Amino acid sequence: MIFDPAHECMSTDAMRALQLERLKKIVRYAYDNVPFYKKKYDEAGVSPDDIVTLDDIRKLPFTVKSDLRDNYPYGLLAVPKTKLKRIHASSGTSGKPTVVCYTDKDMEIWSDCCARLAAAAGVNGDDIVQVSFGYGLFTGALGMHQGCEKLGAAIIPASSGNTERQVMLLKDLEATVLVCTPSYALYIGEMMEKLGYKPEDFKLRIGLFGSEASTEEMHREIANKLHIFTNDNYGLSELIGPGVSGECTEKCGMHINEDHFYPELLDPETFEPVPDGQYGELVLTSLTKEGMPVIRYRTKDITAFDHSPCKCGRTTVRMAKLRGRTDDMLIIRGVNVFPSQIEGVLMNMPEVGGQYEIYVYREGYMDKLEVKVEVADATLLTDYAKLNALRDKIKHNLRTVLQIDAIVKLCEPLSLKRFEGKSKRVTDVRDLHD
């Protein structure tokens, strides 16, 4: 099923004309309503009147993650706060969240975009959808919730965690669609086996997966374990949340909703456009975002474009599964984690030393984050109660900033590796992007 054939199957010429119309409008709108953009464009010597063709978007400076942090919480708003319908947030490197805001119009567009992705995967009004993302400030759960709901599906807002209960709900409530991270889907599959169930004991037929990079091999493993059709989708809260792109049933790339998000693929070193089939950094512009427009946002995600026709009938450009990122951000259980966040927590605690190591690995199909840190006072190692109290305090502080649990290991002073040059504190052995 194609949810919005008028836009998803639009001719290339018609799409480019619509994109240009919306690009001109959003650049003028941001310039007139967001002081940040007016200042940025004035300093760059560029005006909304300079946007005459789509290629002219390259005259505009980029927007980056730090711009959102520096304007926390409402500095990028284009509307009065009284017009906001929803406020979400994602974690930032300083501990302050990156705030994203939605008006009524934004919410409608967001629901439509997510409905498109769900429909492209085969979801319809007869389905029962179990959303096993964490509900809250994270955009993933509510985004896909409202998209599937728009298709007429029934929603089980299970949230994440308590995997045995997840399996019980999937079976007893006869869910047909599972929404979660791909790694969590594999863990759910393991729990099913542990509890003595077979795939035939469930009604599941589709998995809608996002929030973390995943390989074709992982999707094949999920399909084998759960006997479902697996589907990958992509989004980021800075632009809207889930709803930017998603696979159709042909599984030959993720269709970008390019009537709402103008995509560029650039060489991250030269910022020159990259041709189809070659990998580059994805840069996105929100063409219709009313509450908090974002123009030329560097996602840091590495992908490739395919403009060739798709058998499904959609004409929108497709993006490949993410190959990696241009920065050092880690994605752990669907949550963005920066090493600098961990460092910020540890360096604010006088009880610990200045050396630490971060180790990311996979146990079964679940990502694990381990933080080794030296204690400042060696005598603490002989006091079991104080040692446990410090470990619990560090875990609590990390949880507050990262929104996920970490394994904390306390080490003797001077026991961790030192570096004369640039330090390598992060070891990630998950091989996500092989």
Side-chain angles (χ1 to χ4, degrees):
M1 181 180 79
I2 299 178
F3 178 76
D4 183 2
H7 290 98
E8 296 180 76
C9 303
M10 184 178 280
S11 72
T12 300
D13 289 344
M15 178 63 76
R16 299 297 169 259
L18 177 63
Q19 288 175 324
L20 179 58
E21 175 191 335
R22 290 181 169 177
L23 178 62
K24 290 178 178 179
K25 184 177 178 180
I26 200 68
V27 172
R28 168 58 67 183
Y29 176 75
Y31 185 85
D32 290 344
N33 293 281
V34 184
F36 164 80
Y37 281 113
K38 185 179 190 309
K39 182 175 184 292
K40 198 176 187 74
Y41 293 170
D42 286 348
E43 289 176 350
V46 64
S47 156
D49 295 330
D50 294 329
I51 305 300
V52 180
T53 69
L54 283 173
D55 286 341
D56 290 333
I57 195 172
R58 297 180 62 198
K59 298 176 180 178
L60 302 173
F62 295 111
T63 304
V64 295
K65 181 87 168 184
S66 60
D67 292 328
L68 277 73
R69 290 200 306 272
D70 293 344
N71 286 277
Y72 172 89
Y74 294 124
L76 294 182
L77 269 186
V79 298
K81 291 192 289 292
T82 53
K83 286 198 68 177
L84 297 181
K85 179 78 170 183
R86 178 87 65 79
I87 299 171
H88 279 276
S90 62
S91 60
T93 58
S94 65
K96 292 285 190 180
T98 299
V99 174
V100 287
C101 303
Y102 305 77
T103 63
D104 274 319
K105 177 187 172 186
D106 294 334
M107 291 298 297
E108 189 67 22
I109 289 171
W110 190 18
S111 296
D112 283 351
C113 286
C114 288
R116 290 184 191 183
L117 305 191
V123 179
N124 60 54
D126 294 332
D127 280 306
I128 298 175
V129 180
Q130 182 158 318
V131 181
S132 297
F133 278 135
Y135 278 74
L137 291 174
F138 172 57
T139 56
L142 285 164
M144 294 310 296
H145 175 133
Q146 61 208 27
C148 293
E149 201 168 53
K150 191 146 197 171
L151 296 176
I155 310 298
I156 305 169
S159 198
S160 58
N162 199 339
T163 308
E164 190 168 334
R165 185 169 178 268
Q166 297 276 354
V167 173
M168 179 192 75
L169 293 174
L170 285 169
K171 185 176 186 300
D172 294 350
L173 301 183
E174 300 183 344
T176 55
V177 179
L178 174 63
V179 178
C180 63
T181 63
S183 58
Y184 194 48
L186 284 172
Y187 184 51
I188 288 174
E190 284 187 326
M191 182 59 72
M192 289 176 177
E193 293 175 359
K194 182 179 177 182
L195 295 174
Y197 292 119
K198 297 178 180 177
E200 295 77 19
D201 297 326
F202 298 82
K203 302 289 186 181
L204 278 175
R205 64 186 195 90
I206 296 173
L208 295 177
F209 304 129
S211 293
E212 66 182 18
S214 58
T215 62
E216 291 292 349
E217 290 76 16
M218 178 179 277
H219 276 243
R220 281 198 291 270
E221 182 68 14
I222 296 170
N224 289 336
K225 275 189 174 296
L226 300 181
H227 291 191
I228 59 174
F229 173 78
T230 64
N231 175 274
D232 215 358
N233 61 72
Y234 171 81
L236 58 167
S237 61
E238 294 90 335
L239 269 293
I240 199 168
V244 172
S245 67
E247 289 180 316
C248 64
T249 52
E250 297 296 327
K251 289 182 72 71
C252 56
M254 293 180 279
H255 289 271
I256 299 176
N257 286 322
E258 54 178 330
D259 52 322
H260 293 295
F261 309 101
Y262 183 74
E264 301 173 78
L265 195 67
L266 307 178
D267 184 305
E269 301 295 330
T270 65
F271 301 121
E272 291 297 315
V274 173
D276 273 20
Q278 295 185 21
Y279 280 81
E281 181 181 339
L282 179 64
V283 176
L284 292 169
T285 294
S286 61
L287 295 174
T288 54
K289 193 79 180 291
E290 183 179 65
M292 191 177 281
V294 180
I295 298 172
R296 295 205 86 197
Y297 184 74
R298 291 189 63 184
T299 69
K300 303 296 184 76
D301 290 319
I302 302 300
T303 185
F305 281 175
D306 185 349
H307 284 85
S308 66
C310 183
K311 293 178 182 178
C312 74
R314 293 172 181 82
T315 54
T316 47
V317 63
R318 304 187 302 284
M319 58 181 277
K321 286 180 179 292
L322 301 185
R323 174 170 282 185
R325 293 183 58 81
T326 60
D327 61 11
D328 61 352
M329 187 183 78
L330 300 164
I331 301 179
I332 301 173
R333 299 196 293 275
V335 176
N336 297 345
V337 174
F338 294 86
S340 54
Q341 287 177 297
I342 296 172
E343 179 172 293
V345 169
L346 299 177
M347 295 306 101
N348 280 323
M349 299 183 66
E351 304 97 325
V352 302
Q355 296 298 322
Y356 63 93
E357 293 177 3
I358 300 167
Y359 186 62
V360 187
Y361 61 101
R362 195 161 268 159
E363 188 173 275
Y365 295 111
M366 291 296 289
D367 292 343
K368 298 286 184 178
L369 171 65
E370 182 180 288
V371 178
K372 293 182 178 179
V373 59
E374 295 177 355
V375 297
D377 182 2
T379 62
L380 190 67
L381 296 170
T382 62
D383 192 321
Y384 185 79
K386 288 184 179 179
L387 200 65
N388 269 347
L390 176 57
R391 185 184 295 110
D392 290 343
K393 182 179 178 182
I394 296 172
K395 287 184 67 173
H396 170 78
N397 290 352
L398 288 172
R399 171 74 186 180
T400 299
V401 172
L402 305 179
Q403 300 301 305
I404 61 171
D405 289 315
I407 300 164
V408 175
K409 293 191 175 181
L410 300 178
C411 307
E412 294 180 1
L414 305 177
S415 63
L416 297 180
K417 186 177 180 180
R418 263 57 177 172
F419 298 89
E420 292 181 355
K422 185 177 180 181
S423 63
K424 184 181 183 301
R425 299 189 184 277
V426 181
T427 302
D428 187 347
V429 297
R430 294 174 298 173
D431 294 327
L432 276 179
H433 308 299
D434 282 358

